[in-house]
Amino acid sequence: MTWASHLPIIVVLIPLLTAYITPMLGWMDKRICNPLVIVSTSFAFIASLLLARSVLTRGVISYHMGGFAPPFGIALVVDYFGAYMCIVISFLTLMAAIYSREYIAKELHESKTAPYYTLLMLMTGGMMGASVTGDLFNMFVFFEILSISSYALVAITGKKVAILASYKYLLLGAIGTSFTLVGIAYLYILTGTLNMADLSVRLASLYGVGRSSWTLLVALAFFMVGYSIKAALFPLHTWLPDAHSMAPSSISAVLSGILIKVGALALIRVLFNIFQPEFVVETIPVTSMISWMAAVAIIVGSLFAISQVDLKRMLAYSSVAHIGFIILGVGLATGYGTTGGILHIFNHAMAKGCLFLCAGAIIYKTGLRNIDDLAGLGNKMPFTMAAFTIAALSMIGIPPTAGFISKFYLGLGALETGTWSGWVFIGAILLGSLLTAIFYMRVINNIYFKEPLHREDVQRDETPLGMLIPILILAGGCVIFGIFPRIPLSLAEPAAKLLLGI
Amino acid sequence: MKIIPSIFILFIGVMLAAAVAGMPEFGDPNSPANTHIVPYYRENSLEETGVTEIVTSIVVSYRGYDTFGEVTVIFTAGTGVIALLGRK
Amino acid sequence: MVNFGFLLGHYNYWAVVVLFLIGLYAMIVKKNLIKKFMGLNIMDTSIFLFYISMGDVEGGVSPIIAHGGGSDVIYVNPLPSVLILTAIVVAISTTALALSLIIKIYEEYGTLDSDRLVELM
Amino acid sequence: MIWGPDIFILAILVVLAIAAVISRDLLVATVIFSGYSLLMAVAYVQLNSPDVGFTEAAVGAGVTTVLFILTIARTARMEEDGS
Amino acid sequence: MSESLFGEDVIVRTIARLVAPFIQLFGLYVLMHGHVSPGGGFQAGVIIASSFILLALALGLPESKERFKKTIRLPMESSGPLIFALIGVTCILAGGYYLQYGIAFLFPPAVVSAILISAVEIGIGITVLAMIVTIFYAMAGD
Amino acid sequence: MEIYSIRPILAVVIPFICALLIAVTGEKNRDLREFWTLAASVLGCMVVISMFPHIYSGGKYIFTVAQIVPGVELGFRVDAFGMFFAFLSSFLWIVTSVYSIGYMRALKEHAQTRYYFCFAACIASAVGIALAGNLLTLFVFYEILTMSAFPLVMHEETSAALDAGKKYLAYTLSGGALVLFGMAMTYTLTGTLTFASHGFLAGHGSEQLLKMLFVIFILGFGVKAAIIPLHSWLPSAMVAPTPVSALLHAVAVVNAGIFGIVRVVTNVYGIELVADLGLLLPLAIVASITIIFGSIFALAQDNLKRMLAYSTVSQLSYIILGAALLSPSSLSGGVAHIAHQGFMKITLFFCAGAILVQTGKKNLSEMHGIGHRMPLTMIGFTIGALGMIGAPPICGFISKWYLGLGALEAGHPIFTAVLMASTLLNTAYFIPPIYNAFFKEPEGDLIESREASWWLLGPILLCALISLIFGMVPMIPYTPLQLARTFLGV
């Protein structure tokens, strides 16, 4: 076997191995943690790229853990979607890691540096593991790694509100965990297997057969609820605004940027990899149900975001709306729609990551969180604010930023359904982006067009370079991938086609 | 005010009951869960892993990767508790 | 109309459902944070019981080959046990983290009542 | 049909669970919960899963209980009034 | 919880001191016999950890911590997953899949497999032991 | 003959690069910054001109950047009509740049870097709209234009300006959303968005659907084209600095809307299809209503710039009317009016700006006798205003003449009547200010005021002169009318 065939496990191992040695190294010298994490995420990113290349050239990769052929052993299955997620995850984590260097030094107590990086790497490893696995129970295990580390990371500042936010997240997350466990049990009792590919084959004979189809439906419902909680799909999003706004900003960026998308990944896996598309689309219209829910999420999330005064909270509610965009695309179950949803995972990760990092930079420099207090920052931190503006435009979906491309694909997907509900969905998409414009424009207005409260605030006082670089890279990505959308689409499109079986 | 959660719980209960109705009988040796993969373990685990206890053999070899994840989970939880409460 | 055979044939599944609902009730309705997580543990153990139940086979013995019996010995399904070993670790990990959070919450807010916490937030 | 864990055990489990949930004294609830876990372990063993039974006895009845008690020791023992 | 739960009761302290090694021994037994009887690394780790918990309850936290220092716990915490991962990587380097124990590496595959499985079990045990004790100490406070 | 060339993208990218240079230079070195502005305008215009000979001889330039969806690229395809609009925008930009520098310096405006940056971005995207090879590319630049014009509307940072900015965004983004919807619909129906000489929608979709789609497009682009009742952002946007009002809100932005409508009519639907669907008459009626009501609203204004804004609303619909009537004369009149209106309206706005700079007056009622103090400015104003009315020998007359002729050709003389009515209304609101300016005595502060600097005066006179030339000798080559006729092949 060539070394390249081991890439599926390598992308998981790199962050996890880093996590295991970080506490010991951090104990010796805290300054080692950050470079170590940066180097390891860079390697993970490179490995993900190689993995994607290998998937593109060789097709879906199946890796037999321990040499046992599935379904007897655990298999890692990397399809286009999994490879795509790996790239997004490692890229955004790399950005967060670079950003953390200076941000964490100020934000966190020294004694928490090593746990912070350990948990960050565990979370990354968990997300990677959940993305590449082809085993239902294994996905559950890796979901727990990422969930538990994210609960801890939300509360790591030890601030009063953060702890409560983390608690709320944990409570709902634990319910979600239990629900997915029940779902797994039901599928297992019906089929006797946990391997996704095997499940989908064996479940196909059970659709609509007697009473066991009830069990099947309940299993599906429990999976939907369980993973919707992790993905923060409306109406199970209630934990998100608190958790994402109270976490350290570098973590918020990762949480909002990719963690909830891993929940979406799990939903996609359950819908299309375990249950067959024809079952969830036609036999029982689960996908159209979640599309409706997602449409509501878009509108409601945006409306809530409009009423926020806290910048990070507003961003968090915006994530609720945008996970709606992603799930809507997935639920449309059409070529363009699902491609758009998957593409939006990447585009939203970059834009929201950038926004949260900018919010963190604002807090780092000025301590301000309230949107109305941000007046005059356009002069004070021009580069940060320019990046913020670009990312905000990407969220709204203004061309030539990346957000436009996904919005366009989602619109095409909605029309592709050819039903009246498609018209409603495209209405929701367009209305959602207009509502998004309202609350981002409010911030931009404050930044650029309002007199600062204090005259001395207008002195230029840019974010430190170490924090500025990831912000600018992400903002640049928003533009570059808007002009050259083929780059992410080269993975997103086959991913959607493979999932839908078209 | 306790009505809404109660209805929710009742609803979950109904769903669970419906699911139970569709399951193979308790202890049925011919249920899919007992006939699909498990016989392979019974027959091959000893020679493939050299462990007489099938549970352990599955834990460390067939599903060793899960166990790896499991150890990582407890490592995560420990790190999380340390991050919250400090290392004492 | 009631099929007793059907009801009884699933009797510990019914117990699982009841325990699950008790746990869920505690998690959702109970105001005390510690109680909520006791509920979580009850809920989780009920799921574990469910897994173990579905792995059990009539007349089976625990899956240790050293029992010496020939090929006619029926072993119970070992796979649910394996899964549950992992799930127990997950449950204890979640509980440990939750309880540390609860300790911190009490330090900061001086109460563990979820209604009062919402007011204080 | 087999009668693996006595239907009694299941009934007592349900009773213990309810008792643990409704008890206002958290320490009492924890002790009841400990008993519940132990009984659950017995049920697992009866269902021919000694591994899980063993683990549940050590973790559920042991470690989890200890952690609950520690938490109660550092917070409040009684549930507050709902008012 | 700096004080013992049972005050200065001599009987409790003595019994705890006496019992703890036996619990630890039992834990080791469980660890070693994991492949023939119920039990394994995880259960063993929990059992040995409970001996330290018992010591802490009987003798007070400081004395318990004295026996199980932070500097020892810290590497122990990481060792389990680290051993796991490194064994996996070794398997890859030896030309197999990740965690494919049956590889020829100095010894015949069957022997290597047995050694590696034991190593994994020990690693799990060590981590669980250290982590549970650490969680216990952290939650017990000063 | 189609040539694959980098020129179209250069025409867009050079101004963008200059915009970035402006932003980087910043407030520290004002001369350099303003040099970049001028350089951007001149270079942009030169690139556009360099494409002229080939286009004039009936060729096309194409360039593709990247594929967005299968069959649709981010790409350029320069044809005669696009060339016409690109040239108009980029040429007027040079004039406006000169004027801007004088204006901004005289008023010592704040945030000038932002102003010049956004201005350059605006024009670059207007050129991008003009050169776009498909609906998607057009939309991309359309939205960039929306966003980059937004800071210019809010430039004053007063509460009125903030409100105007919000209103502007609400209107234009909603319009953009509709266009996006229409675009997605079109793509779903046909699988392409590339402009074709005779449209590409024929034969796709039911008649009902196509009609509805047409309405969506008209509503979407109509926002920027300020069709009544979608016009109300335009008068509010007049709080922007005068050069912005002059170039963007009288020429570039609003014409982008018009351009979009014309593109949809000619290159997406194709004239035949639109005619078959019976959509032209309603469009013409909407345009007529806008013409009449725009003028009526203008009558009621005292603020000079708001009056001009309503005049713009009214005049833009001449173009739509020309397209909707679809006779050779009306089309050439309409297309020519894009340029004619641009030159005349920009003259008028420049005058308004010059008056503001010199006297600080914004309202017509305060400008009595200003003709005595600022004669050159007011002569320019008079030329522009007479052109608007349609009096010979100014270019407005030419386009109106052809439009009227076109209405008769098309067999709808009623629209000739609309044009007449509009002329009367125009007279009613343009003549009194001119009369007051020249035949009343200046009072108050006006006594002290003088003619503006040559930075401001030069562009005014140049534009007035050009309007005059286009009107007096419309038959010489390369006037808008002749270009329009050449392009349309009539």
Side-chain angles (χ1 to χ4, degrees), chain A residues 20 72 135 138 198 211 215, chain B residues 16 19 21 36 41 63 66 72:
Chain A
Y20 305 143
F72 307 109
D135 188 278
N138 191 243
D198 197 28
R211 285 205 302 249
T215 315
Chain B
L16 288 168
H36 179 44
Y41 293 144
R63 300 195 74 87
D66 268 354
T72 310

Side-chain angles (χ1 to χ4, degrees), chain E residues 43-135:
Chain E
Q43 291 89 335
V46 176
I47 288 167
I48 300 177
S50 65
S51 77
F52 286 98
I53 293 175
L54 175 72
L55 284 176
L57 294 178
L59 308 179
L61 269 182
E63 206 175 324
S64 170
K65 278 184 192 167
E66 195 58 35
R67 290 169 186 236
F68 200 7
K69 287 202 186 65
K70 185 170 147 183
T71 46
I72 305 169
R73 284 204 314 268
L74 193 78
M76 280 172 76
E77 283 163 11
S78 308
S79 63
L82 209 53
I83 288 174
F84 228 129
L86 291 180
I87 285 178
V89 172
T90 316
C91 297
I92 289 178
L93 293 180
Y97 283 102
Y98 184 73
L99 290 182
Q100 188 172 8
Y101 305 114
I103 47 167
F105 184 73
L106 300 180
F107 300 102
V111 180
V112 175
S113 172
I115 294 173
L116 292 185
I117 286 178
S118 308
V120 163
E121 291 274 16
I122 291 168
I124 298 172
I126 291 175
T127 296
V128 170
L129 158 67
M131 264 309 170
I132 287 183
V133 173
T134 301
I135 291 173

Side-chain angles (χ1 to χ4, degrees), chain A residues 186 189-190 211-220, chain B residues 18-19 21-23:
Chain A
Y186 286 178
I189 201 171
L190 288 178
R211 285 205 302 249
S212 59
S213 63
W214 297 1
T215 315
L216 207 63
L217 282 183
V218 175
L220 185 58
Chain B
M23 285 174 199

Side-chain angles (χ1 to χ4, degrees), chain A residues 108-133:
Chain A
L108 279 187
H109 187 263
E110 201 190 344
S111 68
K112 289 183 176 173
T113 312
Y116 169 84
Y117 286 111
T118 313
L119 289 168
L120 180 64
M121 283 297 96
L122 285 168
M123 186 161 79
T124 314
M127 291 190 284
M128 290 284 207
S131 307
V132 298
T133 189

Side-chain angles (χ1 to χ4, degrees), chain F residues 418-442:
Chain F
V418 168
L419 291 171
M420 307 279 278
S422 158
T423 303
L424 280 177
L425 288 165
N426 287 350
T427 317
Y429 63 82
F430 270 123
I431 292 303
I434 295 173
Y435 174 84
N436 290 338
F438 285 107
F439 299 103
K440 286 202 175 163
E441 282 304 311

Side-chain angles (χ1 to χ4, degrees), chain A residues 41-62:
Chain A
T41 36
S42 314
F43 277 123
F45 180 53
I46 293 166
S48 306
L49 289 177
L50 292 174
L51 181 63
R53 196 189 64 174
S54 138
V55 170
L56 279 174
T57 51
R58 293 196 294 155
V60 178
I61 298 176
S62 182

